[in-house]
Amino acid sequence: MKRALITGITGQDGSYLAEFLLSNGYEVHGLIRRSSTFNTDRIDHLYLDPHDPQARLFLHYGDLSDSGQVTNLVYNIQPDEIYHLAAQSHVRVSFDMPEFTGNITGLGTTRILEAVRRSGIRTKFYQASSSEMFGDAPAPQNEITPFRPRSPYAAAKVYAYWMTVNYRDGYHMFACNGILFNHESPRRGETFVTRKITRAIAYIIAGKQKKLYLGNLEAKRDWGFTPEYVVCQWLILQQDKPDDYVIGTGESHSVKEFVELAFKYAGIEIEWKGVEAYQKGIVKSLSCRLQTLASHVKVGDTLIEIDPKYFRPTEVDFLRADIIKAKKNLGWVPKVTFEELIKIMVDSDMELIGMNTPGEGKKALKEKGIHWTENKFILG
Ligand code: NAP
Ligand code: F7E
């Protein structure tokens, strides 16, 4: 039985990766932070009491700022594979907390790499690198595109990227960077733009929220479906040689397109009025289904407004992945499309608030052999 250590197991990616590794026979260890309220929602469905002979998921307290604890854990667990996913991962927040972000998102990686080196164990190491590192480099971006980071978060990830390469070259470690473009899912944190939008739609329809306040609508991202991306994280560590890979869909869409399609799927057609960066999203028409479901929403209502507090001092305008290398070496191609991703997320947020959904998201997954039951995704 292979043994894996996941940092960031309570996050979006960590939870799907844990699910995937457990379903593939791994023993999984996760690093979690102590918090005054529960932070294990995303993995509760995987957890068994450690006394249960069936238990294969084990959680350990620790923090990326605590090198002693991290070193002890790596040494005691002796994992075959380490997936280092933990980070202060919010780009906007990194402008408010640049030093903290450098410490956790940047130096955190060095602490794990050093823990491996000092404990002398042989383990494969995965670093969660990010498309944000490309910043304003022209699209499409691939493994040889130079990094031009545009935020404290991206700068910290560039540092961690090069530390991973250095430990691979200098100490012959099996250390790899997965340079993942944005990936989303029903488990995405509520303050990232996709989830913020799909959740707001459910709340507006349920009459629990009046408006959605957003920042820059023109930014373009390459958005994929997270359960498919964690398979790549695993595939990267199963190759004969350690290497770095760009993972994305190869398609790019603006935040505005995401908003329009998500609202349309829920039954609300949006039109934009007003000046460039401060446009308002107004209800142009409503589907019959929506008129019955949410009679409080009317044609002419303003549902989306811009709040400048969500603008970033420096923005990344256009990201689109060139995934030729991943296709060739990993044999990986994403199945879930942009429109399907939106439907999956809207369905999920409507379900969470107790409403019937149009159901096309689930249908699309089923057709692709991905089973979505009780909060779990099982990749066929
Ligand atoms: P996420 O949902 O924000 O999860 C971050 C995880 O890191 C959480 O488990 C969090 O624990 C943990 N963490 C934060 N600070 C920590 C600390 N000081 N010590 C220990 N653990 C800490 O992020 P994600 O979307 O799953 O992304 C996973 C990784 O991929 C991150 O490194 C992110 O930067 C990177 N990435 C993400 C994307 C994307 O589109 N999602 C794309 C490229 C790269 P709590 O639950 O206690 O907060
Ligand atoms: O922003 C714009 C915002 O915060 C996407 C992280 O997982 O992916 C993520 O970083 C775009 C940006 O993701 C709002 O300005 C408009 O242009 O969802 P986001 P991100 O910054 O791309 C990368 C790959 C990571 O590595 C990160 O860890 O949307 N935007 N209005 C907004 N963004 C937010 N959050 N909130 C808004 O109201």
Side-chain angles (χ1 to χ4, degrees):
M1 193 192 291
K2 274 196 188 172
R3 196 177 302 138
L5 169 64
I6 304 176
T7 71
I9 195 167
T10 55
Q12 175 193 230
D13 290 19
S15 67
Y16 289 115
L17 180 65
E19 219 164 77
F20 176 76
L21 294 178
L22 288 168
S23 69
N24 280 280
Y26 277 67
E27 177 179 304
V28 175
H29 294 256
L31 176 78
I32 60 164
R33 295 196 279 184
R34 193 271 169 201
S35 73
S36 64
T37 50
F38 289 117
N39 59 357
T40 53
D41 281 19
R42 292 184 177 108
I43 51 168
D44 283 345
H45 62 291
L46 302 173
Y47 191 74
L48 289 178
D49 187 293
H51 302 99
D52 187 323
Q54 304 293 321
R56 280 190 290 120
L57 171 63
F58 304 95
L59 301 176
H60 310 267
Y61 284 114
D63 193 289
L64 284 183
S65 60
D66 182 349
S67 47
Q69 169 66 351
V70 165
T71 307
N72 277 345
L73 278 179
V74 168
Y75 182 75
N76 290 334
I77 296 168
Q78 305 253 326
D80 300 293
E81 295 168 7
I82 298 178
Y83 296 88
H84 176 43
L85 310 181
Q88 190 303 93
S89 73
H90 203 285
V91 176
R92 178 67 194 80
V93 170
S94 79
F95 288 99
D96 300 330
M97 305 174 77
E99 183 185 334
F100 176 80
T101 303
N103 186 15
I104 300 306
T105 305
L107 274 173
T109 299
T110 305
R111 293 187 184 107
I112 308 267
L113 286 166
E114 264 300 276
V116 173
R117 188 178 76 81
R118 283 170 192 246
S119 54
I121 60 164
R122 287 188 69 76
T123 182
K124 294 181 176 181
F125 176 84
Y126 174 89
Q127 162 63 16
S129 282
S130 164
S131 54
E132 282 293 305
M133 301 188 306
F134 295 122
D136 59 6
Q141 295 92 1
N142 63 25
E143 292 80 4
I144 55 168
T145 304
F147 300 136
R148 296 172 54 94
R150 301 261 293 165
S151 64
Y153 168 79
K157 283 285 184 188
V158 170
Y159 164 75
Y161 169 96
W162 283 116
M163 289 305 284
T164 303
V165 173
N166 265 251
Y167 275 62
R168 177 167 77 216
D169 294 345
Y171 304 114
H172 309 293
M173 273 174 54
F174 196 108
C176 308
N177 284 287
I179 308 174
L180 272 52
F181 283 60
N182 298 55
H183 43 279
E184 318 292 318
S185 75
R187 287 188 211 155
R188 183 59 141 153
E190 285 97 342
T191 61
F192 295 96
V193 78
T194 54
R195 185 77 201 288
K196 184 172 166 183
I197 296 165
T198 58
R199 191 171 178 271
I201 289 172
Y203 274 63
I204 288 170
I205 293 174
K208 293 179 183 240
Q209 184 175 331
K210 285 199 170 7
K211 281 185 191 171
L212 165 64
Y213 290 93
L214 292 172
N216 177 14
L217 298 176
E218 304 306 327
K220 288 185 156 185
R221 290 289 183 276
D222 180 330
W223 278 297
F225 182 50
T226 305
E228 296 194 281
Y229 284 47
V230 300
V231 178
C232 287
Q233 297 173 345
W234 174 77
L235 279 172
I236 288 170
L237 292 195
Q238 311 314 308
Q239 303 307 299
D240 292 337
K241 286 187 185 152
D243 207 345
D244 307 319
Y245 290 92
V246 157
I247 305 294
T249 68
E251 255 189 54
S252 186
H253 298 273
S254 66
V255 174
K256 196 186 238 179
E257 278 176 86
F258 193 105
V259 172
E260 286 168 1
L261 285 175
F263 273 88
K264 190 167 174 211
Y265 175 59
I268 305 174
E269 195 184 348
I270 292 289
E271 65 178 339
W272 302 97
K273 288 193 179 158
V275 287
E276 258 319 89
Y278 289 90
Q279 288 183 323
K280 289 182 186 205
I282 295 165
V283 180
K284 188 176 176 201
S285 65
L286 295 162
S287 69
C288 297
R289 183 176 176 277
L290 222 266
Q291 286 173 35
T292 326
L293 201 65
S295 55
H296 56 281
V297 180
K298 308 273 184 228
V299 170
D301 284 356
T302 298
L303 295 188
I304 303 140
E305 283 198 43
I306 303 303
D307 183 338
K309 87 171 175 206
Y310 298 116
F311 292 155
R312 296 166 184 193
T314 40
E315 175 64 282
V316 170
D317 294 318
F318 186 15
L319 293 174
R320 180 160 69 84
D322 164 6
I323 55 167
I324 288 176
K325 183 172 170 183
K327 277 186 183 165
K328 187 168 169 272
N329 295 11
L330 307 178
W332 180 81
V333 267
K335 288 188 199 162
V336 175
T337 66
F338 177 63
E339 285 80 5
E340 288 165 348
L341 170 66
I342 290 175
K343 289 174 179 175
I344 293 164
M345 291 179 70
V346 173
D347 276 356
S348 167
D349 273 320
M350 290 187 63
E351 235 176 56
L352 270 180
I353 209 166
M355 280 186 302
N356 285 331
T357 71
E360 289 177 32
K362 278 194 169 171
K363 206 171 131 214
L365 280 180
K366 204 171 167 196
E367 280 163 12
K368 288 173 192 217
I370 302 173
H371 306 286
W372 174 8
T373 49
E374 291 170 10
N375 200 28
K376 266 195 191 180
F377 289 89
I378 299 159
L379 300 172

